[in-house]
Amino acid sequence: MDAQNVEILLVEDNPTDAELCTMALQERNLANKLVWVKDGEQALDFLFASGIYAGRKMENGPKVVLLDLRLPKVDGLEVLQRIKADERTRRIPVVVLASSREDRDVVASYDLGVNSYISKPVDFDEFSKVVSELGLYWLLINHPPALGAQG
Amino acid sequence: MTAESTGMQRPILVVEDSMIQAELLRRLLVRQGYPVTLAQDGEAGLAAARKELPGLIISDINMPVMDGFEMCRAVREDDTLKNIPVILLTMLSDATDVIHGLNAGADYYVTKPFNEQYLISRIEMVLTRPPEHREAKVEMELNVGGTMHRVRAEPQQILNQFISIYENAVLQNRELMFAQEQLTKLGATLEDRAHELEESNKDLESFAYSVSHDLRVPLRAIDGFSSIVLRRYEDKLDDEGRRYLNVVRDNTRKMGRLIDDILAFSRTGRQGMSLSNVNMDALAREVLEGFEPDIVRRDIFVEISPLPAAQGDLAMLRQVWVNLLSNAIKFTCRKTSATVQLGSYREGSELVYFIKDNGAGFDMRYSEKLFGVFQRLHGVEEFEGTGIGLAIVKRIVCRHGGRVWAEGMVDEGATFYFALPG
């Protein structure tokens, strides 16, 4: 996939979860402009157009980040913190898609300014419902400020 | 110095009503080479003394028929016995024992439980240089424990008694200091243990965290891909093939619930508690409201009498009501006119709350099992659930310093009680 006009950045180290998530979004036709990265470092490179994504334009999105918390190299909470701490990225909605329901993760994520926190259900029917609904919401219903817009 | 070296042939008379104490003493003395005679109370002791003319009498104080003081007095008043030394065994718990002992004419005190070495050295001393009872008695007033006591005894006897009491006190003091030293060491060990425990608790916590994450991922994959096969390859599967895949999916869901339940259970054990005055009445009514759809649909008759407030953790106590009420509602689902009754009463220092239903009930023989982890008294086909709800209730109530129990009869209903200190 080319890195132009990305809608969803999926940060997920587990390929099976990534595939299931993509399939759930495909069912609603929401996965056409999705980029999948496997760890926190890649996620940050993509978002800040550095490293292997050095040539990318930051204005090209994503519209929403779906972020797992337990990631190799740089973990999810740190990725979240970096996104929300930077002027250029802090308005990008971040949805944590966690496997855990641990209170401390929920609290930590909200403290860092997460836009939504979802724990992935084991039941695939529920899972695909949740994922497709959040895709619909953030891509079609929600109205974000234009990227790079001044306040 | 042993008995042989002192040339001592007359026996030591041990007067003691506790057979175990008497036997312990007898063995100790026999080991030292002394002949021993035993008597079980003062009267028997006096008779034995007259018969055997012992070289020394060691006597307990509290005994049936005739106590140690009385026997001692009788010994002193008997011309043939009056010079026999008497050692009284005491717990040193009552200071007036000393006064009574002096007035009765006892020579020494040894505290119980006795220090073997001290007792032996004392016996050797008494036998080598028996105290003589030739001095004239003096009378004096002694203040013991804030009360004045009249004492009539020989000066040497008074001195001996107080020295022996003093020696015993020093001995006990040394033992206490040693014990205190041991305690301090133990305290340090305990601190280490607490630290280790804290560490392993942390390990456990991160283990539970990993479980919640790592076990769910493969489960989601199993369920997800089974579901996708069912959807995308529906026409290639026959009924049996579809059924098999649905069995797979049913079981992954069950395992998902089990994982959630294990986590919920472990959380109730480690989460911090914040205690406050909890309005149990409002809390129970609030929880009841959550079950409103079931209550209305099944027309369950709910009766709630005013519940007194309790000290506790609000969120945890809410969980208790949720689990108990959902049980009551679940286990009455086969009844055409289901009733659930909430109430409370005070019993001593406890506040007892209860939930009574007329549901499936249970066999009282298994009531112990009800609150165990993953214990179920009904088949999964009959009533669903993993069997963690009551285990969580028990854990929460125990953490509040309370207790839980249940009464029931098959098909007649069940009553679950939990008592909180209040």
Side-chain angles (χ1 to χ4, degrees):
Chain A
M1 141 144 1
D2 75 322
Q4 303 287 309
N5 289 322
V6 172
E7 288 189 325
I8 298 173
L9 176 66
L10 175 64
V11 192
E12 170 65 76
D13 66 321
N14 183 295
T16 317
D17 261 11
E19 191 176 351
L20 288 174
C21 193
T22 311
M23 278 196 234
L25 290 164
Q26 268 167 356
E27 288 184 2
R28 296 291 191 97
N29 222 6
L30 295 167
N32 301 330
K33 293 177 180 174
L34 178 143
V35 169
W36 167 39
V37 293
K38 290 175 189 161
D39 62 53
E41 190 184 272
Q42 279 185 32
L44 290 172
D45 278 348
F46 184 88
L47 286 160
F48 292 101
S50 57
I52 54 166
Y53 295 102
R56 199 181 83 83
K57 284 201 178 76
M58 282 177 72
E59 307 86 84
N60 286 339
K63 281 187 178 172
V64 63
V65 178
L66 304 184
L67 181 66
D68 190 15
L69 284 186
R70 295 222 316 192
L71 295 168
K73 297 182 187 171
V74 181
D75 85 2
L77 287 176
E78 194 181 335
V79 172
L80 175 62
Q81 188 264 327
R82 297 272 293 273
I83 294 172
K84 293 301 178 187
D86 196 299
E87 278 292 313
R88 298 167 294 169
T89 49
R90 66 186 168 95
R91 290 185 186 133
I92 301 172
V94 179
V95 177
V96 164
L97 270 184
S99 277
S100 84
R101 255 178 248 182
E102 286 291 308
D103 287 347
R104 56 177 177 175
D105 284 343
V106 183
V107 170
S109 301
Y110 270 93
D111 284 350
L112 290 172
V114 79
N115 299 79
S116 186
Y117 187 107
I118 283 148
S119 67
K120 292 179 266 189
V122 163
D123 186 317
F124 183 69
D125 297 341
E126 279 177 53
F127 177 80
S128 60
K129 190 165 160 256
V130 165
V131 170
S132 61
E133 273 175 14
L134 78 90
L136 275 175
Y137 177 80
W138 289 105
L139 296 183
L140 303 175
I141 299 171
N142 184 50
H143 185 85
L147 283 161
Q150 299 296 311
Chain B
M1 213 180 328
T2 63
E4 285 77 36
S5 64
T6 59
M8 144 92 192
Q9 284 308 310
R10 286 159 70 191
I12 294 178
L13 173 61
V14 172
V15 190
E16 166 70 82
D17 63 330
S18 152
M19 289 190 34
I20 295 169
Q21 287 289 329
E23 183 56 23
L24 281 174
L25 207 50
R26 191 188 67 81
R27 284 188 189 190
L28 173 68
L29 297 173
V30 167
R31 260 205 317 274
Q32 299 296 318
Y34 298 113
V36 176
T37 303
L38 295 179
Q40 281 193 13
D41 61 68
E43 203 174 82
L46 201 59
R50 283 182 181 129
K51 192 170 148 229
E52 312 234 354
L53 269 184
L56 166 69
I57 299 173
I58 301 175
S59 175
D60 188 19
I61 294 176
N62 293 318
M63 288 178 296
V65 190
M66 180 191 277
D67 71 11
F69 298 131
E70 211 178 316
M71 183 195 71
C72 188
R73 202 172 292 119
V75 165
R76 290 287 172 261
E77 282 164 5
D78 187 314
D79 278 342
T80 52
L81 304 178
K82 68 178 179 194
N83 283 321
I84 299 174
V86 176
I87 295 178
L88 289 178
L89 293 170
T90 171
M91 302 282 276
L92 249 194
S93 52
D94 189 355
T96 56
D97 276 0
V98 183
I99 306 298
H100 296 312
L102 278 171
N103 284 332
D107 295 291
Y108 296 100
Y109 270 110
V110 170
T111 51
K112 284 200 292 190
F114 52 81
N115 176 302
E116 292 193 1
Q117 261 180 316
Y118 177 80
L119 182 64
I120 294 299
S121 71
R122 176 60 54 190
I123 289 170
E124 280 173 4
M125 198 200 81
V126 171
L127 291 176
T128 337
R129 294 182 53 202
E132 292 174 10
H133 293 278
R134 280 184 304 211
E135 287 180 79
K137 286 186 176 173
V138 293
E139 271 202 59
M140 61 176 92
E141 292 257 319
L142 275 181
N143 184 333
V144 177
T147 320
M148 296 306 288
H149 295 270
R150 179 163 294 277
V151 174
R152 211 178 102 80
E154 298 160 29
Q156 184 63 43
Q157 188 203 351
I158 295 174
L159 213 59
N160 284 346
Q161 283 239 4
F162 281 105
I163 287 172
S164 72
I165 292 286
Y166 173 75
E167 280 175 344
N168 276 294
V170 167
L171 207 67
Q172 278 198 346
N173 210 14
R174 206 176 296 152
E175 277 166 9
L176 276 175
M177 269 161 69
F178 179 71
Q180 197 177 14
E181 224 169 84
Q182 295 292 313
L183 264 177
T184 314
K185 277 187 204 154
L186 271 175
T189 318
L190 215 63
E191 231 167 78
D192 288 349
R193 283 284 154 78
H195 188 70
E196 277 169 35
L197 212 65
E198 213 173 286
E199 286 296 304
S200 65
N201 231 355
K202 268 188 205 151
D203 286 349
L204 207 67
E205 205 172 319
S206 68
F207 172 73
Y209 183 79
S210 302
V211 166
S212 85
H213 186 276
D214 297 345
L215 290 187
R216 276 209 186 90
V217 175
L219 268 189
R220 194 159 42 243
I222 296 167
D223 192 57
F225 285 94
S226 311
S227 159
I228 287 161
V229 170
L230 274 170
R231 249 189 271 175
R232 294 199 184 165
Y233 302 90
E234 204 190 351
D235 49 343
K236 294 200 174 76
L237 289 169
D238 60 8
D239 285 351
E240 202 62 354
R242 274 192 290 276
R243 194 179 72 80
Y244 291 159
L245 279 173
N246 279 320
V247 171
V248 171
R249 295 200 66 197
D250 274 350
N251 280 284
T252 52
R253 275 187 216 118
K254 263 175 215 155
M255 187 157 164
R257 270 202 297 276
L258 279 171
I259 294 169
D260 289 347
D261 286 350
I262 291 172
L263 280 171
F265 183 68
S266 91
R267 249 199 309 271
T268 53
R270 60 198 157 90
Q271 83 192 49
M273 291 172 73
S274 66
L275 298 180
S276 64
N277 198 40
V278 176
N279 184 338
M280 289 293 253
D281 202 62
L283 184 62
R285 284 173 202 276
E286 173 204 314
V287 171
L288 259 175
E289 258 172 46
F291 293 100
E292 206 58 33
D294 284 299
I295 294 171
V296 171
R297 183 173 53 81
R298 284 176 36 209
D299 194 21
I300 301 172
F301 177 71
V302 180
E303 193 182 9
I304 173 166
S305 49
L307 305 171
Q311 278 290 114
D313 180 289
L314 177 66
M316 284 187 171
L317 291 179
R318 179 182 290 120
Q319 191 67 52
V320 168
W321 286 114
V322 168
N323 291 10
L324 291 178
L325 271 168
S326 69
N327 262 8
I329 283 163
K330 177 162 75 181
F331 289 106
T332 50
C333 69
R334 302 268 155 83
K335 295 279 168 171
T336 42
S337 57
T339 65
V340 176
Q341 192 191 343
L342 277 69
S344 73
Y345 57 90
R346 174 172 278 282
E347 198 173 68
S349 61
E350 287 180 323
L351 280 173
V352 182
Y353 300 86
F354 65 85
I355 295 189
K356 186 179 167 70
D357 67 57
N358 66 341
F362 62 89
D363 187 331
M364 275 303 271
R365 278 181 299 171
Y366 307 119
S367 68
E368 285 295 306
K369 285 192 163 187
L370 276 172
F371 296 94
V373 178
F374 295 136
Q375 294 281 359
R376 295 176 44 84
L377 297 189
H378 300 273
V380 187
E381 246 105 85
E382 236 184 315
F383 297 100
E384 62 168 24
T386 54
I388 201 77
L390 289 175
I392 288 178
V393 166
K394 181 177 177 182
R395 199 171 231 197
I396 292 175
V397 173
C398 284
R399 286 196 66 188
H400 280 79
R403 56 198 182 94
V404 291
W405 69 98
E407 285 163 5
M409 240 170 99
V410 175
D411 284 331
E412 299 284 313
T415 310
F416 287 87
Y417 301 85
F418 64 99
L420 299 173

